[in-house]
Amino acid sequence: MGKGTNVYGDVWRSHVGVALHKEDELVLKFVNEQAGETVWIPEARVKADDEHPGTCDAFHVPTSTVVDWKHPGKFMFDHYRKEGPSWKYRIQAHTYGKGYARLGFPVKFVGLMFISPASDLHHGFLWLEEFRPVIADIALANLDEIKAKCADLDVVNHPERFAEFPITPGDECRYCNWFSPKPSGPRQCAGK
């Protein structure tokens, strides 16, 4: 379907996020070295199913917990602290959990560790819930339905048919490949 039309994005936040994730990985490896055992499994490739691989930030072996690092800016950090994580993030955590379970790990919990680069480390917080594979299963089934609908509607050759998909605006619309504040064609969406 192409790379989209969003040319308004700023790559700086992505760059900072990648750098922080690399540092997170080094910290977890250091913890393992100090403990003399594998307490954390950092940056592991997992597959929720055969078609959807991903890289999970961390697995805490003693508590059987999948952890994904989130480094939002101050505004979104405060939002997540007050409102909890978005469904997108929750689904991501459960999908990583399913990937670890497929590898034979006894996944009990999934978590999102929020640490803002615009704040101090001690202000970070961990969102945690019991692992529920059904959340990943529903998301993967939904993705398969979307793929089938895209194929049925032949949206690559008929982009005007994207209008048949419901738009679900959210806080992260500005990062979408098809976001445009002033849409000028069928491959663009104003989000909110």
Side-chain angles (χ1 to χ4, degrees), residues 155-169:
V155 295
V156 171
N157 296 312
H158 300 279
E160 70 280 1
R161 295 179 182 168
F162 274 116
E164 295 189 36
F165 287 89
I167 295 173
T168 308

Side-chain angles (χ1 to χ4, degrees), residues 22-101:
K22 286 291 182 190
E23 189 64 25
D24 296 335
E25 180 182 7
L26 293 174
V27 168
L28 297 183
K29 287 179 178 179
F30 177 76
V31 169
N32 287 343
E33 289 173 14
Q34 294 301 304
E37 63 180 325
T38 302
V39 177
W40 291 96
I41 301 173
E43 295 296 319
R45 202 74 174 140
V46 296
K47 290 183 175 183
D49 65 13
D50 291 335
E51 293 184 36
H52 302 98
T55 302
C56 181
D57 293 338
F59 184 82
H60 187 242
V61 176
T63 60
S64 299
T65 303
V66 165
V67 178
D68 195 53
W69 303 103
K70 299 298 179 193
H71 297 292
K74 177 103 173 79
F75 176 80
M76 290 308 296
F77 179 84
D78 291 343
H79 172 78
Y80 294 134
R81 181 181 284 285
K82 182 179 175 187
E83 303 293 331
S86 65
W87 265 103
K88 173 183 145 183
Y89 284 166
R90 288 183 67 199
I91 289 167
Q92 181 183 25
H94 285 281
T95 303
Y96 288 153
K98 183 163 178 126
Y100 263 105

Side-chain angles (χ1 to χ4, degrees), residues 3 6-7 45 54 63 101 108 125 130 137 142 147-148 158 175 187 192:
K3 295 182 180 182
N6 187 358
V7 295
R45 202 74 174 140
T63 60
K108 294 180 183 174
F125 68 96
E130 188 175 326
D137 293 339
N142 187 42
K147 286 180 180 179
H158 300 279
Y175 300 111
R187 292 186 188 266
K192 287 187 180 183

